[in-house]
Amino acid sequence: MGPVRVTAIASLTPLEELDADPFLVDSRGQHAMCARWAAEHGYVVARELLVRGLRPDHGVLWDGVRPGADLFVAPSLRVLERALSSVEEFTRECARRGVRVETIGRAEPSYDAEMKARVHRRLSLPTAGYDGR
């Protein structure tokens, strides 16, 4: 059957919220947290979604998902709450389709001014070729 494929869910949060909630804005950091978790469990990240308020029945969530072989992961419940219109409906839909959903539940990183500046540059200069490093 092959390795478990993971769909990593990150929240699409406006750059304007960087000072108030940098982790929710830092989608790259959210996806990196999911990738580390997947690797620790011997799973493979097959897709990375960046969404906000997405309906639990939206096709982008379910495209190619295999019951019993795939799972969704997000860094935390609060990321899921921002990414999806209803975590409860999504959880029910996952159960109905035979797909697991996990939250990592690790502590979010603390963002200092330099980290916030890197996130800001990466998100505000994407067309200039800046990749956030």
Side-chain angles (χ1 to χ4, degrees):
M1 182 171 236
V4 172
R5 298 181 317 169
V6 172
T7 297
I9 299 174
S11 66
L12 178 60
T13 301
L15 184 57
E16 292 79 24
E17 295 184 34
L18 181 63
D19 284 331
D21 207 336
F23 185 66
L24 284 182
V25 174
D26 185 11
S27 56
R28 182 180 285 180
Q30 293 173 47
H31 279 141
M33 185 181 280
C34 291
R36 282 190 301 276
W37 179 89
E40 290 168 4
H41 289 82
Y43 303 153
V44 175
V45 175
R47 297 186 309 152
E48 292 181 337
L49 299 179
L50 178 59
V51 295
R52 180 180 179 126
L54 192 67
R55 291 185 340 265
D57 63 346
H58 197 285
V60 75
L61 285 168
W62 303 103
D63 185 36
V65 173
R66 302 172 304 177
D70 292 344
L71 69 91
F72 291 99
V73 67
S76 65
L77 180 59
R78 71 189 209 95
V79 168
L80 277 179
E81 289 170 343
R82 180 68 62 102
L84 305 170
S85 63
S86 172
V87 174
E88 295 78 21
E89 288 179 35
F90 177 66
T91 302
R92 282 194 302 272
E93 188 66 16
C94 285
R96 187 184 76 73
R97 293 178 184 241
V99 178
R100 290 180 11 221
V101 60
E102 303 273 348
T103 54
I104 297 170
R106 293 186 181 147
E108 295 177 3
S110 296
Y111 287 76
D112 59 19
E114 183 179 323
M115 291 171 67
K116 287 180 185 179
R118 278 196 307 269
V119 171
H120 187 276
R121 278 191 306 273
R122 180 171 40 83
L123 294 175
S124 62
L125 300 173
T127 58
Y130 182 74
D131 69 358
R133 292 190 184 119

